[in-house]
Amino acid sequence: YASELDEELDVYDMNLARRYMSTYEKAELALKEAPLLAAKAQDNICARKTLSQNKERVHVHETLSQKAGLSKATIYKVDQII
């Protein structure tokens, strides 16, 4: 891994791939990844890189919902509960 942050993000991605997690558990785990994505974005800004390939804005809930395989609304609702 290029950095410890990349390694930690990969661990979260592997855990999200587990099929025996409930929807709530997947959303909760995805939301724990949000501060790591923010740190990665900050590192990329400092290095003049972008998280997306086509240089569009990256929205946290959209990115997390795609990784968890859930809707943005589900991620938002679990975020409000937590």
Side-chain angles (χ1 to χ4, degrees):
Y1 296 103
S3 70
E4 188 175 316
L5 185 61
D6 289 334
E7 183 178 355
E8 199 167 345
L9 285 169
D10 195 41
V11 169
Y12 275 110
D13 289 342
M14 286 187 289
N15 284 325
L16 280 173
R18 294 188 293 173
R19 63 179 184 188
Y20 55 89
M21 293 176 69
S22 70
T23 301
Y24 181 81
E25 289 172 328
K26 283 184 180 182
E28 189 177 28
L29 187 61
L31 286 168
K32 288 180 181 178
E33 193 174 354
L36 298 174
L37 286 174
K40 176 93 171 162
Q42 187 63 37
D43 289 347
N44 287 341
I45 288 171
C46 292
R48 297 188 183 266
K49 295 179 184 177
T50 181
L51 283 177
S52 65
Q53 297 295 336
N54 52 5
K55 299 188 177 166
E56 295 177 357
R57 289 182 82 176
V58 176
H59 299 280
V60 175
H61 284 160
E62 287 181 21
T63 303
L64 295 176
S65 66
Q66 289 174 354
K67 284 186 171 198
L70 304 171
S71 70
K72 289 186 296 185
T74 303
I75 296 290
Y76 180 76
K77 287 176 186 176
V78 172
D79 192 20
Q80 295 302 312
I81 292 171
I82 295 175

